């Protein structure tokens, strides 16, 4: 699955425990939500906030992804692939019940996916698993997924929050209102939702933890979890200090101060799966890979990381986030570029771009002035400030235009830009296929020899080892051709009260709320 | 008078139609739709894109804008504000509580604004050119020079963080406190200036001099003869302000996370969720127009001089 | 010669002090008025007659203020009164009516209630009694259908009716002095005649003295017992109406009487006073009329340097003109 | 032939009401007036406020187009003229307004205001226009060097002189003076009246002198028309009118003017009552509701303006 | 009666003279003069390059080298504020010119033109007024794409109704003035009257209104930056600076205070100057 989201809007924060003294008898945890979810129905939303809240607390998936990138049993205890790789059959565990007491069986799984496939519902989740054709419940505990073509990323996608199983009975009973009162099998069940203010959840007393990576296999520790909607960064920062929050995902700007405070602990998601990079429209002069290389060499990634994320990010040379299983560091080191403005200037000079040392360089009377587009976001602004400065240092002037995603992304299909600044989050190497299969997601990518073949391999090869060959090959080709300029992967940062235990993000940056407890709880 | 009111109501119709048409013309030229906006680029492969057509078809987004307008008018006529592409539920549901929230915020803010502004303005006018006048007007001047979002942040800092009078993360009614205070103090500034200048002008009128000449005490002159007229003057501006605020004080709502119409408007546009946008326009323009109407009618009712045969 | 003065004004000065300068609207006025007497205060616009009228009730508003002089009314010093006393005096001792009767009534309060207001606050009447009295007063000023009109709003009245209402309000508590500031200027001539007749009749009936401020010498001739002529903030001539009209002593008074066309006494040319009124924001050391005066060339420098005092023409008639000092 | 010959002039204003703001009634501000004016003659037009005299004055020079009637100016039907023709005619008839404060553009120099007519009609070169303005200033008793000043720098009387200069710079044949001196103090009023008389004699101006002040009208006019509620109720040579007024309204007006002679104090005036509502005039004779000698016929039939003697007309059944 | 009656000066000179003697005008004018000077000479006044980043020196408190400290990418805040004056001046001018010119023309046509135009224009203005401001602005931005220009156009359009209504009512009043009738009597055409006589007489109320509208427009433009819809990075526009810095309110207050107080002071200056102009040009509530 591929998703991208500005940082400010990103992420329901998840996190840990405050024990307000008065509430010592109730074990309650309070976490921050950066924005109010649009609804709490994972089958009807592609919003990261929605799927994080629903996926963390309310529903469970067939599988989860281990830190090694391999799918692990959850609601499904095992699965098999058909020979033509067009069918996947899951064997469910028995005896799992939804919060409303109904059974979570093969019919429920089929119902959930059917509701996504149902054209009348026009689920926005549907296009992400476009290759899925139908789902059959073979028996109460066996469910088979049928695809139109081999679809390797499915095991990663189905581990994502959007594919947790909802109660068919509740869905049928509540209809369109279901999104306000979700029912799943997760460790917490829905109590109330004051829109814009808070969502209250309570412990699912019959909960049984099926994930192997969880600490607590029984009922969750906390009686109650409250998710407070706090869009303003400063407010969240203050609420942590007044212990009104047990934990909060924060922009990295304010983290530094709390990192020095012994009352808090900073949890950094090292598995971050996003990548910020520059893309090209491949219009002259950027149809020449050496021109693109000059740009890549000009950029001081360490400085960008500091400016944009106060250091809570890593500079990346490869065309995929290091957090995605399959990232090939060797390829990145061999074919990527570092920061070498002198070489960048030399390349420009070789290409005929010369200048006086002040102002832009020029070639054949054309000055090196280009248009750089980006989505609007304070963090992106800062990265762009450094990028603009770095490029100016080698004599390339870029004018920056930022706009909200809804304007920015479609605008890339039209002319008028030379470079854009992108940030994507994805859990699977399939992202390379989606972005870079000819003609590319913005219809501007030239055909690079061998790239589409490698990308086809990524899409259709279910065997992990054979698939890795294609992944590495695609990364190498992208770097060799300077198709993009990779910049960095930032880490989501959550500040938790020091007493909050077991706050460990999994491969998808989701915590297991059943594990969470304050140190002082009995 | 009945005719006048009927005529005022008739004038509302072209305004509302104009507003809706304007919205749809905007829709015709905007380069993206709710589906594109929703995915924030999550769909990239060609086969998947074909399936988003389903969503477009369900919400008629695949039709030309004027057909969509037709659908919209038909639905509104049936009392149906449509379904939000993004929220996947009836727009009326979302608008309903949002509108109430904005109404509460607006009413509290105006109550604070009037409660502070009118007495301050009247005292300033009655004690014109004294230190009280200068102080009130200086504070008012500072008030109208303060950017709302800056002021809002300062209030959070002062009340929630330093003084800790209110919780940083307020719940329920307490959540109204800071946004209402911010907005109220900002509104108080122009109201006080208006009250002052209205009062000063009123105190200069012939009938005030006549009242003094017949031995009315200064308090009676102000309260009985000058205040009603002044308030009537303020009423128009406060009413307009009320109408505007019902369209959402979006900055304040965004800063304080107040789930009102304004905050929703920002999102609805970013989402390109037109059913939602139109409903917002409908209710806020409707409120604006209705409040103007109410004021005009109130005017006729309070001020016997208003010649209601003319618009 | 006359009975004890009801009103006695000495050296009264009212100035308007602004950043642009000091405007000497009233600059040293002496005035006496007996009970029941009608004084015509005549002058052209800008001569200070309205400010003088307001000064008598201490109604001059900032930036204007009384800077000098005394006002004795019924034996009490008006300039020294505290707020309560002056308020009481305005209600019961003196009344005032204005040039624009329609705007002088509160537009949003019914007529009857406006008349009742001073009755309640000053005479301590009950609401009901005041309402009854208001209707009686409306009848007394000749408003037909008084009961219905009491419920009317000011904008529903004609100018003449509104002035009648103003008179009713001003005379409600039978004050000893009524000041009427250009009471008929905004009215048509036929209505003016009726209002003047009403004023005369009511004042006589109540024994109320009247100061009639006007620019219309015809009105003065018809109504006044005595006349005071004002020019540039000062009273330049004062005396019995017969004397003033028969033998005006001040050149300005003469000019005033000469320059107005009179019905039935048509002349081919009018005797205009050339020039304009002086700028009161500049100090005038001498006679303010000197620049326009026909006699100035023969009188010499003294007119420019020294302000002439009020010089007696007859015991009851005085004028501020150096010509009266020259034997 | 008369310079100005107006027949059946009517001007009405709608009283609107109802949902659609359709006119529900009409105020007949001027209701069928015939007037003639010879070259060099002064016709005085008197009446109370609201009698329609100002509206009539404006209608006669097509500033407010009448709703009915014909106006011939020097033989031409001015209501039939196109825009260019009307503009050309503007040179020949001008107007002086009541309020010297309101009738001068506060943002234009007084010289500019006076010169405007020359500019609009493209008369003369720039230098000639300047000279003409300076000459006009001298003539009305102003200093030519003051042309660059603004109206607020002048007194009321001076402003009215400027207004007269503006009207006369085009050398018109007809001048409408609409209450031209009523806002002025008597001492200044006399100056302006004298000036108007002098100018009229010099230029053989025909003048329509509108005023509510009978004494001023008597001073200025050769012939006088008395207007009441949109109609002329009496018209006569000056001396005839004042010597023997025939209409009860004229008589009431005359008796209401206070005489500036303390030895001749009038008894209480006749109880004349209030003027009628212009949108709702009495039937028959409009004056009957206030008339001391009204008779039954007055309620049913409206008296026409009939000649009682040569040059003396009145509209009264009792006349 | 006023002292000015004897001064042989033009109105402009008179207005300037009165302003010179007005305390509000002096303080407000002083602030605005400083802003204009900074805008004109920013490169010479600013101690540093406003774009020079130093990511090793982020959010440093005020010091001798950086008078007001540094921002989130280590740029000199003082220099950014000084360069930001250019954006402030630009925003004030452009928004006001757009709203003023279009609004005035609409108002003139409406108030002094044919009745049908009045009806159409006033309904249009009603629509604009009733249209929620934010949506109006967002709509313009959605069409034109976000940029400072768009923001200024949007705010300008949002202010059209105010001007149109003001000019219309002023024109309606002035049209009834006797001097307009005088011009007509002299043979002036209707168009000539509108532009030659009515328009010059609306200048005073226009100036007074602008003194209200300009600071509000500047605030509105700053508010758009709050939503990321105004000036484009890394332009040192004050609203954008304030917005980008606001998450540092509790950790690096100077980064918030500097642009916040700059906006405040500039708006205050405009308001003071506006008050003074109002006192001079429209002395009713002086």
């Amino acid at each position: 699955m591929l998703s991208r989201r500005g940082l400010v809007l990103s992420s329901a924060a998840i996190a840990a425990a405050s024990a307000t003294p008065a509430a010592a008898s109730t074990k309650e945890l309070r976490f921050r939500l950066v924005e109010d979810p649009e609804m709490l129905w994972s089958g009807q939303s592609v919003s990261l906030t929605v799927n994080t809240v629903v996926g963390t607390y309310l529903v469970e998936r067939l599988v989860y992804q281990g830190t090694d990138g391999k799918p692990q049993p959850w609601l499904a205890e095992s699965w098999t692939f058909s020979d033509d790789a067009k069918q996947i059959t899951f064997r469910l565990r028995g005896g799992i019940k939804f919060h409303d007491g109904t059974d979570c069986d093969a019919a429920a799984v089929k119902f959930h996916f059917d509701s996504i496939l149902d054209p009348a519902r026009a689920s926005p989740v549907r296009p992400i698993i476009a290759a899925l054709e139908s789902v059959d419940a073979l028996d109460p505990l066996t469910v088979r997924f049928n695809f139109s073509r081999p679809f390797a990323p499915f095991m990663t996608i189905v581990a994502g929050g959007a594919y947790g199983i909802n109660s068919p009975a509740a869905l049928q009973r509540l209809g369109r209102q279901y999104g306000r009162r979700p029912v799943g099998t997760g460790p917490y069940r829905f109590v109330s939702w004051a829109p814009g203010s808070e969502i209250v959840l309570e412990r699912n007393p019959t909960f049984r933890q099926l994930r192997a990576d969880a600490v607590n296999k029984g009922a969750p520790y906390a009686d109650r979890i409250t998710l407070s909607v706090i869009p303003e960064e400063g407010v969240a920062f203050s609420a942590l200090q007044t212990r009104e929050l047990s934990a909060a995902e924060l922009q990295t700007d304010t983290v530094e101060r709390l990192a020095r405070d012994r009352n808090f602990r900073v949890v950094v998601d090292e598995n971050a799966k996003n990548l910020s990079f520059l893309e090209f429209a491949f219009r002259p002069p950027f149809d020449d890979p050496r021109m693109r290389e000059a740009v890549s060499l000009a950029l001081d990634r360490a400085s960008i990381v500091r400016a944009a994320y106060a250091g809570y990010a890593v500079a990346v040379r490869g065309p995929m986030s290091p957090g995605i299983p399959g990232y090939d560091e060797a390829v990145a080191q061999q074919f990527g570029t570092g920061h070498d403005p002198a070489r960048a200037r030399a390349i420009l000079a070789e290409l005929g771009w010369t200048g006086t040392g002040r102002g832009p360089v020029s070639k054949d009377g054309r000055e090196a002035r280009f248009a750089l587009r980006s989505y609007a976001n304070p963090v992106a602004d800062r990265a762009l400030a450094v990028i603009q400065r770095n490029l100016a240092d080698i004599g390339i002037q870029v004018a920056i235009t930022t706009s909200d995603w809804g304007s920015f992304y479609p605008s890339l299909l039209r002319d008028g830009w030379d470079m854009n600044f992108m940030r994507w989050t994805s859990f699977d190497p399939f992202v390379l296929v989606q972005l870079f299969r000819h003609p590319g997601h913005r219809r501007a990518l030239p055909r690079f020899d061998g790239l589409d073949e490698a990308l086809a391999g990524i899409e259709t090869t279910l065997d992990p080892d054979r698939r890795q060959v294609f992944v590495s090959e695609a990364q190498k080709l992208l770097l060799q051709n300077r198709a993009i300029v990779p910049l960095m992967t930032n880490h989501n940062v959550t500040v938790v009260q020091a007493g909050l235990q077991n706050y460990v993000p999994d491969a998808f940056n989701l915590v297991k709320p059943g594990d969470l407890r304050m140190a002082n709880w009995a | 008078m009945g005719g006048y009111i009927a005529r005022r109501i008739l004038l509302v119709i072209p305004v509302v139609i104009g507003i809706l048409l304007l919205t749809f013309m905007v829709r015709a030229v905007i380069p993206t739709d709710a589906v594109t906006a929703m995915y924030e680029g999550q769909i990239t492969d060609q086969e998947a894109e074909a399936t988003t057509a389903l969503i477009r078809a369900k919400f008629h987004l695949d039709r030309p804008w004027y057909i969509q307008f037709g659908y919209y008018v038909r639905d509104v006529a049936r009392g149906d504000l449509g379904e939000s592409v993004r929220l996947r539920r009836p727009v009326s549901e979302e608008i309903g509580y949002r509108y109430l929230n904005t109404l509460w915020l607006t009413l509290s803010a105006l109550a604070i604004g009037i409660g502070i502004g009118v007495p301050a303005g009247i005292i300033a006018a009655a004690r014109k050119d004294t230190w009280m006048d200068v102080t009130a007007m200086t504070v008012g001047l500072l008030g109208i020079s303060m950017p709302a979002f800056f002021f809002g942040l300062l209030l959070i800092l002062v009340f929630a963080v330093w003084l800790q009078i209110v919780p940083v993360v307020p719940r329920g009614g307490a959540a109204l406190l800071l946004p209402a205070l911010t907005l109220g103090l900002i509104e108080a500034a122009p109201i006080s200036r208006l009250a002052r200048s209205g009062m000063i002008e009123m105190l200069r009128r012939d009938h005030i001099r006549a009242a003094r000449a017949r031995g009315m005490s200064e308090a009676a002159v102000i309260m009985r003869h000058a205040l009603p007229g002044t308030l009537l003057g303020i009423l128009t501006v406060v009413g307009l302000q009320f109408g505007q605020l019902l369209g959402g004080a979006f900055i304040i709502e965004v800063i304080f996370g107040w789930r009102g119409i304004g905050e929703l408007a920002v999102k609805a546009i970013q989402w390109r969720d037109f059913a939602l946008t139109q409903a917002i326009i409908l209710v806020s323009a409707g409120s604006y127009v209705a409040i103007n109407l109410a004021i005009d009618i109130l005017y006729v009712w309070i001020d016997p001089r208003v010649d209601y045969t003319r618009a | 010669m006359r009975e004890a003065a009801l009103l006695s004004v000495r050296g009264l000065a009212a100035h308007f002090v602004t950043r642009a300068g000091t405007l000497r609207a009233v600059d040293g006025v002496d005035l006496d008025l007996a009970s029941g007497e009608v004084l015509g205060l005549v002058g052209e616009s800008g001569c200070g007659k309205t400010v003088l009228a307001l000064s008598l009730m201490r109604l001059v508003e900032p930036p204007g203020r009384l800077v000098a002089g005394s006002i004795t009314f019924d034996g009490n010093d008006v300039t020294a009164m505290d707020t309560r006393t002056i308020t009481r005096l305005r209600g019961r001792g003196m009344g005032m009516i204005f040039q624009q009767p329609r705007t002088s009534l509160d537009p949003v309060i019914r007529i009857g209630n406006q008349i009742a207001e001073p009755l309640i606050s000053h005479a301590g009447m009950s609401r009901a009694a005041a309402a009854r009295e208001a209707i009686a007063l409306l009848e007394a000023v000749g408003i037909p259908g008084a009961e219905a009109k009491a419920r009317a709003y000011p904008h529903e009245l004609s100018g003449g009716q509104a002035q009648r209402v103003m008179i009713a309000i001003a005379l409600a508590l039978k004050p000893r002095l009524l000041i009427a500031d250009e009471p008929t200027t905004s009215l048509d001539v036929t209505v003016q005649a009726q209002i003047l007749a009403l004023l005369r009749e009511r004042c006589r009936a109540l024994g109320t003295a009247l100061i009639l401020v006007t620019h219309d010498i015809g009105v003065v001739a018809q109504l006044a017992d005595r006349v005071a002529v004002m020019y540039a903030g000062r009273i330049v001539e004062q005396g019995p109406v017969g004397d003033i009209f028969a033998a005006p002593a001040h050149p300005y008074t003469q000019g005033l009487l000469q320059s107005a066309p009179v019905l039935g006494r048509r002349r081919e040319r009018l005797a205009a006073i050339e020039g304009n009124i002086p700028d009161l924001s500049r100090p005038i050391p001498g006679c303010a009329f000197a620049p326009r005066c026909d006699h100035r060339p023969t009188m010499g420098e003294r007119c420019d340097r020294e302000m002439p005092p009020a010089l007696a023409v007859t015991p009851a008639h005085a004028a501020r003109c150096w010509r009266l000092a020259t034997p | 032939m008369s310079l100005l010959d107006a027949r059946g002039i009517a001007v009405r204003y709608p009283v609107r009401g109802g949902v659609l703001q359709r006119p529900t009634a009409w105020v007949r501000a001027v209701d069928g007036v015939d007037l003639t004016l010879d070259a060099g003659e002064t016709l005085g037009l008197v009446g109370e406020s609201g009698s329609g005299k100002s509206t009539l004055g404006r209608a006669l020079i097509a500033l407010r187009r009448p709703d009915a009637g014909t106006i011939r100016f020097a033989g031409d039907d001015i209501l039939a003229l196109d825009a260019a023709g009307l503009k050309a005619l503007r040179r020949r008839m001008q107007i002086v307004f009541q309020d010297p404060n309101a009738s001068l553009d506060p943002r234009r120099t007084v010289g500019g205001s006076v010169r405007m007519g020359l500019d609009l009609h493209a008369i003369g070169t720039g230098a000639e226009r300047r000279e003409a303005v300076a000459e006009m200033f001298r003539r009305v008793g102003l200093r030519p060097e003051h042309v660059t000043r603004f109206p607020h720098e002048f007194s009321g009387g001076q402003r009215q002189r400027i207004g007269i200069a503006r009207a006369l710079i085009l050398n018109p044949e007809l001048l409408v003076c609409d209450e031209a001196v009523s806002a002025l103090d008597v001492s200044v009023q006399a100056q302006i009246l004298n000036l108007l008389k002098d100018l009229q004699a010099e230029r053989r101006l025909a003048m329509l002198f509108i005023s509510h002040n009978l004494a001023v009208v008597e001073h200025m006019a050769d012939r006088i028309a008395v207007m009441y509620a949109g109609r002329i109720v009496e018209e006569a040579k000056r001396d005839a009118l004042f010597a023997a007024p025939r209409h009860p309204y004229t008589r009431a007006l005359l008796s209401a003017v206070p005489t500036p002679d303390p030895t001749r104090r009038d008894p209480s005036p006749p109880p004349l009552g209030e003027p009628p509502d212009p949108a709702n005039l009495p039937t028959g004779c409009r004056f009957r509701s206030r008339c001391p000698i009204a008779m039954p016929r007055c309620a049913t039939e409206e008296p026409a303006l009939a000649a009682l003697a040569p040059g003396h007309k009145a509209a009264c059944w009792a006349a | 009666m006023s002292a000015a009656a004897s001064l042989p000066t033009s109105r402009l000179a008179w207005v300037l003279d009165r302003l010179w003697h007005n305390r509000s005008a002096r303080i407000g004018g002083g602030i605005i003069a400083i802003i204009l000077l900074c805008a004109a000479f920013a490169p010479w006044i600013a101690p540093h390059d406003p774009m020079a980043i130093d990511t090793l020196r982020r959010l440093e408190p005020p010091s001798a080298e950086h008078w007001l400290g540094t921002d989130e990418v280590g740029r000199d805040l003082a220099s950014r504020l000084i360069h930001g004056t250019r954006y402030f001046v630009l925003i004030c001018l452009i928004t006001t010119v757009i709203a003023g010119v279009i609004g005035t023309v609409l108002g003139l046509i409406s108030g002094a033109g044919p009745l049908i135009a009045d009806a159409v224009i006033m309904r249009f203005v009603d629509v604009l007024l009733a249209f929620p401001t934010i949506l109006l602005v967002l709509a313009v931005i959605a069409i034109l794409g976000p940029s400072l220009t768009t923001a200024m156009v949007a705010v300008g359009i949002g202010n059209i109704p105010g001007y149109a209504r003001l000019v219309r009512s002023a024109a309606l009043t002035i049209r009834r003035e006797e001097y307009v009738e005088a011009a007509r009597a002299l043979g002036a055409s209707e168009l000539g009257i509108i532009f030659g006589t009515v328009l010059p007489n609306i200048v005073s109320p226009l100036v007074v209104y602008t003194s209200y509208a300009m600071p509000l427009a500047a605030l509105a433009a700053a508010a758009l930056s709050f939503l990321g819809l105004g000036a484009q990075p890394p332009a040192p526009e004050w609203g954008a600076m304030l917005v980008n810095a606001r998450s540092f309110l509790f950790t690096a207050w100077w980064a918030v205070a500097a642009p916040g107080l700059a906006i405040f002071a500039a708006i205050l200056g405009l308001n003071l100057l506006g008050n003074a102009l109002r006192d001079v040009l429209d002395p009713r509530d002086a």
Side-chain angles (χ1 to χ4, degrees), chain C residues 52-101:
Chain C
L52 174 57
L54 292 172
S55 303
L56 299 179
M57 293 180 83
R58 284 205 6 221
L59 279 173
V60 180
E61 282 162 47
R65 60 193 180 92
L66 301 183
V67 292
S70 67
I71 304 168
T72 313
F73 181 77
D74 224 359
N76 301 311
D77 186 355
V78 175
T79 54
M81 285 179 180
D82 62 20
T83 313
R84 274 180 60 96
T85 323
I86 188 80
T87 304
R88 209 177 146 70
L89 175 82
R90 285 177 197 153
R92 315 197 57 144
M94 303 180 183
M96 187 160 184
I97 61 175
F98 301 92
Q99 179 172 357
Q100 299 291 343

Side-chain angles (χ1 to χ4, degrees), chain C residues 276-287:
Chain C
N276 294 301
I277 54 166
D279 178 1
L280 296 183
S281 60
R282 294 173 185 190
I284 303 165
C287 171

Side-chain angles (χ1 to χ4, degrees), chain A residues 232 257 303 306 388 402-403, chain E residues 49 55 146 232 234 246 248 250:
Chain A
E232 275 295 305
R257 173 106 155 243
S303 188
R306 272 197 304 275
Q388 189 184 44
T402 68
S403 46
Chain E
D49 177 352
T55 53
Q232 295 295 308
R246 81 176 197 275
F248 309 111
F250 305 103

Side-chain angles (χ1 to χ4, degrees), chain B residues 226-277:
Chain B
L227 191 59
T230 309
L231 290 182
L232 205 60
I234 297 172
L235 178 71
T236 321
V237 176
V238 170
L240 285 180
Q241 218 42 29
F242 185 51
Q244 284 275 348
L245 287 179
L246 280 184
F250 68 96
I251 289 273
I252 299 291
E253 291 188 354
V254 168
I255 284 197
F256 291 98
W258 186 254
R259 299 268 286 183
I261 290 287
E263 197 246 7
L264 183 64
V266 175
K267 280 191 175 157
I269 284 276
Q270 275 171 359
W271 293 344
R272 304 296 193 273
D273 194 328
F274 276 98
L276 207 49
T277 311

Side-chain angles (χ1 to χ4, degrees), chain A residues 104-167:
Chain A
C104 178
D105 54 12
V109 174
K110 174 177 163 53
F111 183 91
H112 180 73
F113 282 89
D114 280 353
S115 78
I116 291 173
L117 294 177
D118 179 5
R121 285 195 196 268
S123 166
V125 179
R126 160 83 168 120
I128 295 169
I129 46 170
L132 180 64
E133 275 190 329
S134 62
V135 181
D136 302 321
L138 301 178
D139 65 49
L141 293 179
T142 310
V143 59
R144 187 177 68 202
F145 291 74
N146 308 307
F147 297 87
S148 57
R149 55 188 157 95
F151 192 57
F154 185 73
M155 291 308 287
T156 311
I157 290 175
V158 84
Y163 303 89
I165 311 301
N166 293 272
S167 160

Side-chain angles (χ1 to χ4, degrees), chain D residues 88-319:
Chain D
L89 197 70
R90 296 262 175 244
R91 290 180 62 173
R92 303 173 64 185
M93 40 197 215
Q94 276 301 316
I95 180 167
V96 176
F97 294 95
Q98 168 174 8
D99 187 347
N101 299 315
S103 65
L104 288 176
D105 185 343
R107 294 285 175 275
R108 212 182 273 273
T109 61
V110 294
S113 281
V114 172
R115 186 183 148 132
M116 194 172 170
L118 298 177
D119 292 341
L120 282 169
H121 293 278
I123 297 167
T125 63
E128 285 165 359
R129 289 180 205 172
R130 259 196 304 283
E131 182 42 44
V133 170
E135 178 51 37
M136 199 68 226
F137 261 61
R138 274 190 285 273
R139 181 60 199 95
V140 297
L142 294 168
R143 291 160 63 182
E145 57 268 32
H146 286 176
V147 290
T148 55
R149 294 193 175 183
F150 285 87
H152 71 268
E153 299 170 50
F154 294 90
S155 70
Q158 289 170 317
R159 279 181 230 180
Q160 201 56 299
R161 288 174 196 267
I162 297 162
I164 291 168
R166 174 177 61 189
L168 292 185
I169 191 116
L170 288 170
N171 222 344
E173 293 151 62
L174 168 65
L175 184 66
V176 174
C177 292
D178 183 13
E179 299 274 12
V181 295
S182 41
L184 303 175
D185 279 313
V186 281
S187 64
V188 179
Q189 170 180 303
Q191 300 168 7
I192 300 297
L193 290 176
N194 287 341
L195 175 67
L196 280 172
K197 273 206 154 184
D198 295 346
L199 287 166
Q200 182 184 25
E202 274 168 32
R203 303 180 177 223
R204 233 177 94 74
L205 262 177
M207 200 146 70
L208 179 69
F209 194 90
I210 301 170
S211 178
H212 67 276
N213 187 329
L214 284 166
V216 169
V217 170
E218 184 197 22
H219 178 76
M220 293 298 290
D222 304 318
R223 199 151 55 85
I224 293 170
V226 181
M227 220 173 157
Y228 185 81
R231 291 215 157 176
I232 288 176
V233 294
E234 185 162 5
E235 187 188 326
K237 294 271 186 208
R238 175 187 63 224
D239 295 337
L241 186 89
F242 286 101
R246 303 293 286 271
H247 197 283
Y249 177 63
T250 313
R251 289 202 289 271
L253 269 185
L254 285 171
S255 72
V257 177
T259 316
D261 182 349
T263 63
R264 280 176 44 198
R265 292 208 170 168
D266 300 324
S268 288
L272 207 50
E274 297 281 339
D277 173 6
N280 197 6
L281 294 172
T283 57
C285 175
R286 296 153 195 242
F287 186 60
R288 111 186 128 77
S289 58
R290 302 171 77 188
C291 183
I293 56 167
M295 43 194 180
R297 187 184 185 186
C298 302
T300 53
E301 282 180 76
E302 183 158 21
L305 189 62
L308 305 170
H312 197 149
K313 295 182 247 182
C316 179
W317 295 122

